[in-house]
Amino acid sequence: MTTEPPGSTRLDGTFAYTWDLVGDSAGAERIASLGVGSVVLQAAYHSVRVMTPHHPAHRIVHATHAAAYFPLDPHDWRGTRLRPAAPGWGIEVSDRFGTAASALRRQGLRVEAWLVLTHATTLGDRAPDLTVRNAFDERYGYALCPAQPEVAAYATQLVRSFCARYDRAEVPALMLEACGWLGFEHGSHHEKTAGADLGAGCRNLLSICLCEPCRRGIAAAGADPAVVAAAVRRTVDAELRDGRRAPDSFAESLGDQAARAVLGHRRQVIEDLTHRIAAEAPGRELLLMADGDPQVTGPDSGLDLSRFDGPAGAVVVKCWDDEDRSAARIKHAVAASPLPVIANVSVLDEPPAELARRVARLRAAGARQFRYYHAGLASPARLRALRAAAGTTADITPTQEGAA
């Protein structure tokens, strides 16, 4: 199978779940008919409830916990508190990832493994001391902290186990989601936080982790973590109780030195983790879901892309929001990073007729490739829009917008 570099427009791809393909003999052919060259296939993923409109055997899949969709050797996980669970939903086969990947490769599609690293509520419940801890000493149980040695070891072992089972000819690329911190932003069951009207600055402050390893890392980077925590609490409470908006920047809330320490600690942890993962995946391309704003936490790692020194082959930038903001985000990432930029575009939210225009604009802004979210979740009308958008990208080259 091809291992062409990220500049190849032919490798524009789509996301898919294993349950979209296992048990559906027409699933891989349907994805291939979309005109894409690659598929980002779920290998380790968080809990979710989804529609499966195209599958012949089921209509709704409820993944009740984070799971690995490939067989694991129990000997690899002896003595560890963090161990991936097996899925108990969808069509039961011994190797869900391998079965789906084989079907995709038979259609001539490149398979990229989709690995979610630090988002796992079941594991957070099992080891709450390894989760993100905010300045109010409250835990986010869905968010494993990558500064914790056990969490980094878990993520590394997950990749090691995957690469031991599938060689790089079968799966030449790994897409890394949550290769960093998740923070305040998370849709919990019966979420009731919207009425507090928190601004982005306040949400980012509530996402700063102050667990013990993070405190040590911040201190090593030159700031007192107790002072950081006090500043976060003061600023957050001023917004919650008095309506005084938190500043957008950490520097305004924490002071320049403390802001640099927090962000420097984060960058170092993410770089270290990507280096460890790369060591377990020699010869494979790492596609890092990343956000160009280093204050951001979430499935897309917050990074100053101009300073990031991890071994990624490309950065994948989410473009699900307003078209102007998405184009600006791509333009910024292209200007800041020496790495190729892949645009992650949702076909689920906006009117399908607008997708081709958005894709053309993001390509003009400098996106080298696209990954469309999501072939298994989209209605027939949205799949038609995906097919049309994918058919337009091969002839589009960056214009003045992306060259600036």
Side-chain angles (χ1 to χ4, degrees):
M1 296 302 297
T2 180
T3 56
E4 295 176 38
S8 170
T9 54
R10 181 169 89 75
L11 289 180
D12 285 348
T14 185
F15 291 83
Y17 295 132
T18 55
W19 54 68
D20 296 325
L21 294 148
V22 176
D24 184 357
S25 59
E29 184 178 2
R30 182 171 56 250
I31 291 176
S33 75
L34 298 174
V36 296
S38 63
V39 176
V40 184
L41 181 64
Q42 150 217 52
Y45 199 69
H46 52 72
S47 60
V48 68
R49 189 172 81 113
V50 300
M51 296 296 299
T52 59
H54 312 289
H55 200 281
H58 48 67
R59 296 295 174 270
I60 297 173
V61 170
H62 188 189
T64 56
H65 55 75
Y69 290 84
F70 59 96
L72 298 172
D73 184 343
H75 294 289
D76 292 339
W77 301 90
R78 285 182 301 182
T80 62
R81 286 194 291 169
L82 302 181
R83 298 184 299 277
W89 41 84
I91 304 298
E92 178 64 38
V93 296
S94 60
D95 182 357
R96 300 178 191 225
F97 180 92
T99 299
S102 294
L104 293 169
R105 285 196 300 273
R106 287 195 294 271
Q107 294 294 324
L109 295 166
R110 175 172 116 142
V111 176
E112 301 167 349
W114 183 6
L115 294 156
V116 179
L117 301 180
T118 64
H119 185 183
T121 304
T122 301
L123 300 185
D125 289 343
R126 184 182 303 163
D129 55 305
L130 302 182
T131 59
V132 169
R133 173 184 170 191
N134 71 19
F136 294 88
D137 203 24
E138 297 156 342
R139 296 282 184 173
Y140 301 149
Y142 49 83
L144 301 174
C145 175
Q148 295 277 354
E150 286 182 72
V151 173
Y154 160 79
T156 305
Q157 181 59 58
L158 186 66
V159 173
R160 181 185 303 124
S161 296
F162 179 87
C163 292
R165 178 162 290 274
Y166 311 101
D167 66 36
R168 64 187 184 189
E170 296 175 295
V171 186
L174 311 179
M175 186 171 290
L176 305 180
E177 179 177 339
C179 187
W181 286 264
L182 274 73
F184 173 79
E185 297 285 3
H186 184 267
S188 298
H189 293 302
H190 309 296
E191 184 81 12
K192 301 292 182 182
T193 59
D197 295 331
L198 298 180
C202 193
R203 292 169 183 268
N204 287 339
L205 290 171
L206 284 169
S207 299
I208 294 175
C209 184
L210 289 161
C211 69
E212 287 308 314
C214 283
R215 285 175 176 265
R216 291 194 295 270
I218 290 169
D224 184 339
V227 173
V228 170
V232 170
R233 293 194 297 268
R234 182 172 58 251
T235 307
V236 168
D237 279 347
E239 179 164 321
L240 286 174
R241 297 174 176 177
D242 304 323
R244 296 201 303 271
R245 278 292 193 211
D248 287 337
S249 75
F250 281 174
E252 291 179 79
S253 296
L254 309 178
D256 288 339
Q257 183 175 351
R260 286 195 299 269
V262 169
L263 298 179
H265 163 64
R266 285 184 178 177
R267 184 180 68 251
Q268 188 63 56
V269 169
I270 295 171
E271 287 182 0
D272 288 348
L273 183 55
T274 55
H275 277 286
R276 290 181 61 169
I277 288 171
E280 301 298 337
R284 302 191 203 228
E285 187 181 6
L286 298 186
L287 309 177
L288 180 65
M289 288 187 173
D291 190 294
D293 182 353
Q295 296 186 165
V296 165
T297 55
D300 307 295
S301 299
L303 290 168
D304 178 346
L305 295 175
S306 66
R307 301 186 65 187
F308 176 65
D309 193 29
V315 293
V316 183
V317 177
K318 187 172 289 178
C319 298
W320 292 10
D321 57 357
D322 173 83
E323 187 176 306
D324 290 338
R325 288 196 292 270
S326 292
R329 190 176 303 112
I330 289 293
K331 185 178 178 182
H332 170 76
V334 170
S337 176
L339 299 172
V341 175
I342 298 173
N344 173 358
V345 178
S346 175
V347 305
L348 305 180
D349 297 323
E350 62 186 341
E354 297 179 8
L355 181 64
R357 187 192 68 223
R358 172 183 286 254
V359 166
R361 185 169 179 191
L362 296 177
R363 181 75 77 184
R368 294 277 294 278
Q369 274 188 38
F370 289 79
R371 296 295 182 273
Y372 296 100
Y373 191 96
H374 177 296
L377 300 172
S379 67
R382 294 182 185 280
L383 289 181
R384 287 193 294 271
L386 193 166
R387 186 181 297 110
T392 66
T393 56
D395 298 324
I396 297 173
T397 55
T399 66
Q400 210 60 31
E401 180 174 4

